[in-house]
Structures are given as C-alpha cells and as structure tokens.
Amino acid sequence: MARVEDSPWAIPVAQIASRAGQSKPIDADFPAPSGIGDSIVGIKEGEPVRVSGQFDSIVDGLIFTGRLVAPFVSECTRCLKPIDEDWPVDVTVFFPYESGQDKANGKGGKSKKDDEIDIIAGEDESEDTYPLLENGAFADIEAMIRDTLVESLPLQPLCRPDCRGLCSQCGADLNEDPDHHHDVTDIRFAGLAGLKAQLEAEQNGEQAE
C-alpha cells in the first residue's frame, strides 16, 4: 500500500499542527490531478500547478490561504484561437484536526449507516474542507487543487474581453480586420431590385433599336 508521504500532493504539517498560532509557508509546483476540465477547456493532468501561500494553525485545524496558478488550455469561443495562458485562482480552505470521538471510533468504530449519516450531515460544511492524514501529520492538497480549479474554469473562455469574433458570412477574423464588412441587399427589396433591372434592360433594348 502506498504511503501518504510518498504522494506528490502530501505536505508535512506536523510541526505547526502541534500548537495554534504557527505558520508554514508554501511556494512550490505540484502536478495537476486528473479530471480538471477536458481537452476543450481545462488543465492537462501532470502539468505544474504553482501553489503559493501558507498554512496557519488554529485551535481546531489548519487554514490554508494562498493562490494557485495553472497552465490553462482552451480556445476562444468567439474567434476560435487557441488559448494557452496561466490561470490564477485565490483559495482559502480548512483542514480540521481529527476529533477525539473520531479517534475513539477508529476504522471499525462506525457502522456503514453512521458513515452515511455523517456524510449527509456534513455535506454543506465539507465544500471547502479537506482532511488531514496520518493523525494530522500531512495535508494532502490533491482534492483542493482539483476542486478549486474545476470550479473556476470559464464556461465561455475568451482570448481577450473585447474579442470581435469571426464574420458570420465568410469567417474572417474581425480582430485583424475591424473594418471588414459585406454589402448585403435587404431581402425585403429583392423583388423591386429585380423589377428595376428588368425595366432597365428593356429600356436599353428600345434605345438600341
């Protein structure tokens, strides 16, 4: 069985977890977990995610406050140009200490029914909460990275806020040619235009005779 300390996302925090008021700074790259978006909008698995910030020890756990910066890949929804840029996201999450009751129960201290009740009861609270591992010795930030980045991904990514997109008639990039346009005849006057052309042709024929 793999050890917790061998995980690329495990951060040792035992020293600051021993007493409230202590801090541990973090500024390092961690591999992007799987499942962050897809090939169209997302962050590729294994790409380096910069995690900078600090863990602060309080009475009932650790609070991590910082920023994630990940290489974001997508394409603009207006002009279809590829987007390849750093995607910064601020984050604040909580790593609670294991309670005395949890320790007393241990692995076999709860029934399946009790576990289901705890999951339902803690559903609303667990959104920005992640467990400490090995009796508080490690904070595993894999889920934190995945959840934070997934929630922040744009639904309609743009190469720039004022992207003009593509011409609906010929597909020309309007960012490169902002004056691009087409002369279009209003279909409401198409019949009149045809009648006018016919009359002009008849008139020219009479003059030629």
Side-chain angles (χ1 to χ4, degrees):
M1 183 177 179
R3 298 183 305 171
V4 172
E5 55 266 35
D6 293 334
S7 167
W9 299 283
I11 299 175
V13 292
Q15 291 183 341
I16 66 168
S18 61
R19 189 175 65 210
Q22 300 187 82
S23 299
K24 178 183 179 71
I26 298 294
D27 188 13
D29 288 338
F30 296 84
S34 62
I36 306 178
D38 51 34
S39 59
I40 299 176
V41 179
I43 296 164
K44 294 180 181 178
E45 181 180 358
E47 288 294 298
V49 177
R50 192 71 179 181
V51 179
S52 56
Q54 68 178 29
F55 286 92
D56 293 306
S57 175
I58 59 176
V59 175
D60 52 354
L62 302 178
I63 294 177
F64 175 77
T65 305
R67 167 168 283 205
L68 311 182
V69 181
F72 172 69
V73 292
S74 181
E75 67 177 25
C76 180
T77 54
R78 291 181 186 170
C79 70
L80 305 182
K81 283 184 177 179
I83 299 174
D84 186 2
E85 60 184 25
D86 288 339
W87 187 256
V89 186
D90 293 326
V91 59
T92 300
V93 294
F94 182 49
F95 292 81
Y97 297 139
E98 186 179 11
S99 68
Q101 184 63 38
D102 292 337
K103 293 178 181 178
N105 287 329
K107 290 185 178 180
K110 289 186 180 182
S111 67
K112 182 177 180 181
K113 182 177 180 182
D114 291 335
D115 286 337
E116 291 174 351
I117 293 174
D118 285 348
I119 290 172
I120 294 172
E123 223 169 34
D124 294 337
E125 300 176 2
S126 64
E127 183 177 353
D128 297 317
T129 301
Y130 301 92
L132 291 169
L133 307 178
E134 297 292 329
N135 294 319
F138 294 92
D140 193 324
I141 64 171
E142 177 184 6
M144 180 196 77
I145 292 175
R146 180 186 293 108
D147 294 348
T148 301
L149 293 176
V150 166
E151 292 174 3
S152 72
L153 290 178
L155 296 177
Q156 294 184 319
L158 299 175
C159 61
R160 65 189 198 194
D162 60 344
C163 176
R164 299 172 63 91
L166 303 177
C167 174
S168 59
Q169 297 185 54
C170 68
D173 190 337
L174 300 180
N175 297 304
E176 299 177 358
D177 185 8
D179 296 326
H180 175 84
H181 70 281
H182 294 271
D183 293 327
V184 181
T185 302
D186 193 324
I187 60 174
R188 293 173 298 176
F189 302 106
L192 293 177
L195 179 58
K196 179 183 178 182
Q198 181 182 349
L199 293 175
E200 290 178 347
E202 291 177 354
Q203 183 179 2
N204 292 336
E206 293 175 357
Q207 290 178 355
E209 293 176 356

